[in-house]
Amino acid sequence: MERNNISDFEEKCIQEHSPACTASCPVHVDVKKMNAQIKAGNFNEALKTFCASVPFPRIISRICDHPCESSCKRNEIDAGLNISLLEKTCLEYGEVPERRKGFYQKKDRKVAVIGSGLNGLTAALFLAEKGYMVSVIEKSDRVGHEIWDISDKILPKHLILDDFKIFNGMRVEFRYNTEIKDIAAFKEVCDQYDAVYISRGEKLIHPLGQEIEDAGNIMVGNGTFQTGHPKVFAGAGLQSAPNKISPITDISEGKRAAVSIDRFIQKVSLTASRGHEGAYITKMVTKITRIKNMPVVIPSNTDMGYVQEEAMREAGRCIQCSCLECVKACKYLEHYGKYPKKYIREISNNFNILVGKKTAKELINSCNMCGLCGEICPNALDMAEVNQIAKESAVKNGHMPPAIHDFPIRDMLFSNSSRFALKKHQPGFEKSKFVFYPGCQLSALEPLYVNQLYSDLINILQGGVGLLLGCCGAPAKWSGRSELFMHVMDRFYEDWLGFGKPEVLCACSTCKQMIKGSYPQIPVTSVWEVFGRYGLPGKSLHTDTVVSVHDPCTARYALEEHQAVRSILEQLGYSISELEFSKQKTKCCGYGGLTAYANPGLTEKVIQQRIQENSNDYVTYCINCRDYFTSKGKNAWHILDLIYHNTGKIVKHQKRVGYSQRQENRMKLKEKMLRERWREAMSLQCQDYESIKLHIPEEVMAMIDERLILIEDIQKTIYYAETTGNKVYNSNSNHFTAHYKPQIITYWVEYGIENEKYRIYNAYSHRLEIIEDVN
């Protein structure tokens, strides 16, 4: 995987961006965390959270203008949180934590701060905490400036004194009654100190102020507070009145100035990595459609403020802003307890950063590759794209264990072999205006529908309808085997050219997606659109049943297909109740991405989530979707069940067609269509192992199918054992045990011999490849 590609994806995830309340706060108080702590009744921890951003908590909680309140997302629902009162309550019931001192190594560099308002005091505090010796030069006899002018009712004087105790024991000296009256005095300060900060609101006498302004003024487009004199920094609005900037902004700018001064003295960039300082507009998006109204909690005593229980209820109104819609909708993202940015980092670390031998992780193979997250995400971040890149990289670099997807790849190769693949013009035609491509899954599960569909298409369409049997290569695509996938698609393209570039008619949304994605010049249409255009074959049903349509995830953006299927249902008399997640926001049934082969437990959760979304019967136009749903007890129909009036044969907990039977169905379909339509016999060379005749009890057959073992795997194992003698005899059970490893999978079979047949008692496989790592 290319590192820059992964970074691009990572930047799209906005979950780690701050909520609006924090972003609009110049010092970025973590209001969301603080509210959660208050709601839990933990006022000490809530106060710690507040104090982590605010160095003078008693003062600020009383005089802050609280821009966070106007930006609170709850304003769009009912009314924003009373954050100001919640902060005061934290001070009332919590204990102000002692600020850490001496964290940085003491430095021999000195910084002068002119002025002791909140702006200058904040700069002095943070510089002292970074180890500098700081001198605060104040023209009056006390620090704080206009803070002392605030009425006791709003800000009692003892709270000011308590907050200013923070400087006790710090390397900060206060030079009271010292006024910088002229340029000579200012230059003397500059000579004595390594840097000088003129705090905001300090009205230095003319021409000193003018000289600094003429030398370049401050904040020239980069927010560093550095003036034209390199070692002189100044607060925003050197000549501005004190009431022009809010107290919380004063503190923010004082801290930012301290960062610039520290960087200047350390001789590093003053501008690098300084995004989102001060108030800014966040990229966080939070959906509020499901948030219930909750009235603002009014304190029982407005003069005293909230009691603890009232504060807890008001903090409980916080909706804990986050952008987790994708996680809420997707079982895959929910399953691992993280969100896309964290997944991307983990994937990136596994495939780009770590050295030594690496193996593909369960994470990238558990995604259904359905694209729902990309549809929901405000920035269209699609984890399917991320995992596709990761899979392809893992395969390319030899880090993908081949056993994970061995079974579906073998099944794909079977479908594209002579045992199923077929390419024919319509009988009596030498050219094809259309070609019917039913796909491998419908042919495996409902071969009779394929035969009937072909007949109906021939009757409906003029100009010749060819038939092309095979697999579109989706298993290769989903497993990251891009070269194998393109080999399949290139073969399809050559077949299409051989037919004379016809319009391809698909009965499978996945096939349609794979073709359009690989060769957009090939015209592809679903057979449902054909029926919508020319009408349904046979007689329509008359019913008043209400159903919900499950759109296959590979048809997410096939808008014509969505409409065509719904039109067919209306013609058949059905009423439609749309699922919450349908059409462009549909969910995967669990089959996509081959998740079932890497993480069957997660697949079960995906299926259950989908079938529980609605109590109606489902109608889908993907045979695998119907198969997954009915196997778990959901009444579900394929659209062809309704068109051909075969709904009676689909029942809850329908027994799934076994994998061996699916391959058998494909071969029989090909044989039947060749024989009945083209009067040709299917010619297949029998393999030696096919002479092995088996007797497999029903319960054993279900077991081996669940273990992804085909009948031919058992035949090959017994044939190998009987021809080589490599088998073990158990005299107690009178059974033989044999194993066979054709490629990367080792098969084990326990069998006995009865009436010239081999009775199977057990079978299992080792889908592991053990590699000795020799350094």
Short mmCIF file of all heavy atoms in Angstrom, two decimals, residues 721-749:
data_model
loop_
_atom_site.label_atom_id
_atom_site.label_comp_id
_atom_site.label_asym_id
_atom_site.label_seq_id
_atom_site.Cartn_x
_atom_site.Cartn_y
_atom_site.Cartn_z
N ALA A 721 -5.61 -42.40 -1.11
CA ALA A 721 -5.31 -43.39 -0.06
C ALA A 721 -5.35 -44.81 -0.61
O ALA A 721 -4.49 -45.65 -0.29
CB ALA A 721 -6.31 -43.23 1.08
N GLU A 722 -6.36 -45.10 -1.45
CA GLU A 722 -6.53 -46.46 -1.95
C GLU A 722 -5.49 -46.82 -3.00
O GLU A 722 -5.11 -47.98 -3.13
CB GLU A 722 -7.94 -46.61 -2.53
CG GLU A 722 -9.06 -46.53 -1.49
CD GLU A 722 -8.97 -47.64 -0.46
OE1 GLU A 722 -8.73 -48.80 -0.83
OE2 GLU A 722 -9.11 -47.33 0.75
N THR A 723 -5.02 -45.86 -3.75
CA THR A 723 -4.03 -46.16 -4.80
C THR A 723 -2.60 -46.16 -4.27
O THR A 723 -1.72 -46.81 -4.83
CB THR A 723 -4.14 -45.16 -5.96
OG1 THR A 723 -4.01 -43.83 -5.44
CG2 THR A 723 -5.46 -45.33 -6.69
N THR A 724 -2.36 -45.46 -3.17
CA THR A 724 -1.00 -45.40 -2.61
C THR A 724 -0.84 -46.24 -1.35
O THR A 724 0.28 -46.55 -0.96
CB THR A 724 -0.62 -43.94 -2.26
OG1 THR A 724 -1.50 -43.46 -1.23
CG2 THR A 724 -0.72 -43.05 -3.48
N GLY A 725 -1.97 -46.57 -0.72
CA GLY A 725 -1.91 -47.29 0.54
C GLY A 725 -1.62 -46.41 1.73
O GLY A 725 -1.45 -46.90 2.86
N ASN A 726 -1.59 -45.11 1.53
CA ASN A 726 -1.33 -44.17 2.62
C ASN A 726 -2.62 -43.93 3.42
O ASN A 726 -3.34 -42.95 3.19
CB ASN A 726 -0.79 -42.83 2.09
CG ASN A 726 0.60 -42.98 1.52
OD1 ASN A 726 1.36 -43.86 1.94
ND2 ASN A 726 0.95 -42.13 0.57
N LYS A 727 -2.91 -44.82 4.31
CA LYS A 727 -4.10 -44.72 5.13
C LYS A 727 -3.84 -45.47 6.44
O LYS A 727 -2.94 -46.31 6.52
CB LYS A 727 -5.32 -45.30 4.41
CG LYS A 727 -5.13 -46.75 3.98
CD LYS A 727 -6.31 -47.24 3.16
CE LYS A 727 -6.07 -48.69 2.69
NZ LYS A 727 -7.21 -49.20 1.90
N VAL A 728 -4.63 -45.14 7.45
CA VAL A 728 -4.49 -45.75 8.76
C VAL A 728 -5.77 -46.51 9.08
O VAL A 728 -6.87 -45.98 8.91
CB VAL A 728 -4.21 -44.69 9.85
CG1 VAL A 728 -4.15 -45.34 11.23
CG2 VAL A 728 -2.92 -43.93 9.55
N TYR A 729 -5.59 -47.77 9.53
CA TYR A 729 -6.75 -48.61 9.85
C TYR A 729 -6.96 -48.66 11.35
O TYR A 729 -6.03 -48.88 12.12
CB TYR A 729 -6.54 -50.03 9.31
CG TYR A 729 -7.67 -50.98 9.65
CD1 TYR A 729 -8.93 -50.82 9.08
CD2 TYR A 729 -7.46 -52.02 10.57
CE1 TYR A 729 -9.96 -51.69 9.40
CE2 TYR A 729 -8.49 -52.89 10.89
CZ TYR A 729 -9.74 -52.72 10.30
OH TYR A 729 -10.78 -53.57 10.61
N ASN A 730 -8.20 -48.44 11.79
CA ASN A 730 -8.56 -48.52 13.20
C ASN A 730 -9.35 -49.81 13.40
O ASN A 730 -10.49 -49.93 12.96
CB ASN A 730 -9.41 -47.31 13.60
CG ASN A 730 -9.70 -47.26 15.08
OD1 ASN A 730 -9.84 -48.29 15.75
ND2 ASN A 730 -9.81 -46.04 15.62
N SER A 731 -8.73 -50.80 14.06
CA SER A 731 -9.37 -52.11 14.22
C SER A 731 -10.59 -52.06 15.13
O SER A 731 -11.49 -52.89 15.03
CB SER A 731 -8.35 -53.12 14.78
OG SER A 731 -7.83 -52.66 16.02
N ASN A 732 -10.64 -51.07 16.03
CA ASN A 732 -11.80 -50.95 16.93
C ASN A 732 -13.05 -50.50 16.20
O ASN A 732 -14.15 -50.99 16.45
CB ASN A 732 -11.49 -49.96 18.06
CG ASN A 732 -10.42 -50.48 18.99
OD1 ASN A 732 -10.32 -51.68 19.23
ND2 ASN A 732 -9.61 -49.59 19.54
N SER A 733 -12.88 -49.53 15.28
CA SER A 733 -14.05 -49.00 14.56
C SER A 733 -14.21 -49.60 13.17
O SER A 733 -15.24 -49.44 12.55
CB SER A 733 -13.93 -47.48 14.43
OG SER A 733 -12.79 -47.16 13.64
N ASN A 734 -13.15 -50.29 12.73
CA ASN A 734 -13.14 -50.83 11.36
C ASN A 734 -13.21 -49.71 10.32
O ASN A 734 -13.74 -49.88 9.23
CB ASN A 734 -14.29 -51.82 11.15
CG ASN A 734 -14.03 -52.77 10.00
OD1 ASN A 734 -12.86 -53.08 9.69
ND2 ASN A 734 -15.08 -53.22 9.34
N HIS A 735 -12.64 -48.55 10.69
CA HIS A 735 -12.63 -47.39 9.79
C HIS A 735 -11.19 -47.11 9.33
O HIS A 735 -10.22 -47.44 10.02
CB HIS A 735 -13.15 -46.13 10.50
CG HIS A 735 -14.59 -46.22 10.91
ND1 HIS A 735 -15.19 -45.27 11.72
CD2 HIS A 735 -15.56 -47.15 10.64
CE1 HIS A 735 -16.45 -45.59 11.93
NE2 HIS A 735 -16.69 -46.74 11.29
N PHE A 736 -11.11 -46.47 8.16
CA PHE A 736 -9.83 -45.99 7.68
C PHE A 736 -9.79 -44.46 7.83
O PHE A 736 -10.81 -43.78 7.72
CB PHE A 736 -9.64 -46.34 6.20
CG PHE A 736 -9.50 -47.80 5.93
CD1 PHE A 736 -10.60 -48.56 5.52
CD2 PHE A 736 -8.27 -48.43 6.08
CE1 PHE A 736 -10.48 -49.90 5.27
CE2 PHE A 736 -8.14 -49.80 5.82
CZ PHE A 736 -9.25 -50.53 5.42
N THR A 737 -8.59 -43.93 8.05
CA THR A 737 -8.38 -42.48 8.05
C THR A 737 -7.28 -42.16 7.06
O THR A 737 -6.21 -42.79 7.07
CB THR A 737 -7.99 -41.96 9.45
OG1 THR A 737 -9.03 -42.29 10.37
CG2 THR A 737 -7.80 -40.45 9.44
N ALA A 738 -7.55 -41.21 6.20
CA ALA A 738 -6.57 -40.84 5.18
C ALA A 738 -6.52 -39.32 5.05
O ALA A 738 -7.48 -38.61 5.38
CB ALA A 738 -6.94 -41.46 3.84
N HIS A 739 -5.38 -38.82 4.57
CA HIS A 739 -5.28 -37.38 4.32
C HIS A 739 -4.66 -37.16 2.95
O HIS A 739 -3.94 -38.01 2.40
CB HIS A 739 -4.44 -36.69 5.41
CG HIS A 739 -2.97 -36.97 5.33
ND1 HIS A 739 -2.40 -38.09 5.87
CD2 HIS A 739 -1.96 -36.26 4.76
CE1 HIS A 739 -1.09 -38.07 5.66
NE2 HIS A 739 -0.81 -36.98 4.98
N TYR A 740 -4.96 -35.99 2.40
CA TYR A 740 -4.49 -35.66 1.05
C TYR A 740 -4.34 -34.15 0.96
O TYR A 740 -5.22 -33.39 1.39
CB TYR A 740 -5.49 -36.17 0.02
CG TYR A 740 -5.16 -35.80 -1.41
CD1 TYR A 740 -3.98 -36.20 -2.01
CD2 TYR A 740 -6.07 -35.06 -2.18
CE1 TYR A 740 -3.68 -35.89 -3.33
CE2 TYR A 740 -5.79 -34.73 -3.50
CZ TYR A 740 -4.60 -35.14 -4.06
OH TYR A 740 -4.31 -34.82 -5.37
N LYS A 741 -3.21 -33.70 0.40
CA LYS A 741 -2.96 -32.27 0.26
C LYS A 741 -2.69 -31.96 -1.21
O LYS A 741 -1.56 -32.02 -1.67
CB LYS A 741 -1.76 -31.84 1.11
CG LYS A 741 -1.50 -30.34 1.08
CD LYS A 741 -0.30 -29.96 1.94
CE LYS A 741 -0.06 -28.45 1.88
NZ LYS A 741 1.13 -28.05 2.66
N PRO A 742 -3.76 -31.59 -1.96
CA PRO A 742 -3.55 -31.29 -3.38
C PRO A 742 -2.75 -30.02 -3.61
O PRO A 742 -1.96 -29.94 -4.54
CB PRO A 742 -4.97 -31.16 -3.92
CG PRO A 742 -5.81 -30.83 -2.73
CD PRO A 742 -5.17 -31.48 -1.57
N GLN A 743 -2.99 -29.01 -2.77
CA GLN A 743 -2.24 -27.75 -2.91
C GLN A 743 -1.91 -27.20 -1.52
O GLN A 743 -0.94 -27.63 -0.92
CB GLN A 743 -3.05 -26.73 -3.75
CG GLN A 743 -3.17 -27.14 -5.22
CD GLN A 743 -3.98 -26.15 -6.02
OE1 GLN A 743 -4.80 -25.41 -5.49
NE2 GLN A 743 -3.76 -26.13 -7.32
N ILE A 744 -2.73 -26.27 -1.02
CA ILE A 744 -2.41 -25.67 0.28
C ILE A 744 -3.32 -26.17 1.39
O ILE A 744 -3.07 -25.89 2.56
CB ILE A 744 -2.50 -24.13 0.22
CG1 ILE A 744 -3.91 -23.70 -0.18
CG2 ILE A 744 -1.47 -23.56 -0.73
CD1 ILE A 744 -4.13 -22.20 -0.09
N ILE A 745 -4.38 -26.88 1.05
CA ILE A 745 -5.33 -27.39 2.04
C ILE A 745 -5.12 -28.88 2.21
O ILE A 745 -5.02 -29.62 1.23
CB ILE A 745 -6.78 -27.13 1.61
CG1 ILE A 745 -6.98 -25.66 1.27
CG2 ILE A 745 -7.75 -27.57 2.71
CD1 ILE A 745 -6.75 -24.71 2.42
N THR A 746 -5.04 -29.32 3.45
CA THR A 746 -4.93 -30.75 3.74
C THR A 746 -6.30 -31.27 4.16
O THR A 746 -6.93 -30.73 5.08
CB THR A 746 -3.93 -31.01 4.87
OG1 THR A 746 -2.66 -30.48 4.50
CG2 THR A 746 -3.80 -32.50 5.16
N TYR A 747 -6.76 -32.33 3.48
CA TYR A 747 -8.07 -32.92 3.78
C TYR A 747 -7.88 -34.24 4.52
O TYR A 747 -7.00 -35.04 4.18
CB TYR A 747 -8.85 -33.16 2.48
CG TYR A 747 -9.14 -31.88 1.73
CD1 TYR A 747 -8.32 -31.46 0.68
CD2 TYR A 747 -10.23 -31.08 2.08
CE1 TYR A 747 -8.58 -30.28 0.00
CE2 TYR A 747 -10.49 -29.90 1.41
CZ TYR A 747 -9.67 -29.50 0.36
OH TYR A 747 -9.93 -28.33 -0.30
N TRP A 748 -8.75 -34.46 5.51
CA TRP A 748 -8.74 -35.69 6.29
C TRP A 748 -10.11 -36.33 6.18
O TRP A 748 -11.13 -35.66 6.34
CB TRP A 748 -8.43 -35.41 7.76
CG TRP A 748 -7.05 -34.87 7.99
CD1 TRP A 748 -6.63 -33.59 7.83
CD2 TRP A 748 -5.91 -35.60 8.44
NE1 TRP A 748 -5.31 -33.47 8.14
CE2 TRP A 748 -4.83 -34.70 8.53
CE3 TRP A 748 -5.69 -36.95 8.79
CZ2 TRP A 748 -3.56 -35.09 8.94
CZ3 TRP A 748 -4.42 -37.33 9.20
CH2 TRP A 748 -3.37 -36.40 9.27
N VAL A 749 -10.13 -37.62 5.91
CA VAL A 749 -11.40 -38.33 5.76
C VAL A 749 -11.37 -39.62 6.56
O VAL A 749 -10.40 -40.39 6.47
CB VAL A 749 -11.70 -38.64 4.27
CG1 VAL A 749 -13.01 -39.40 4.15
CG2 VAL A 749 -11.74 -37.35 3.45
#
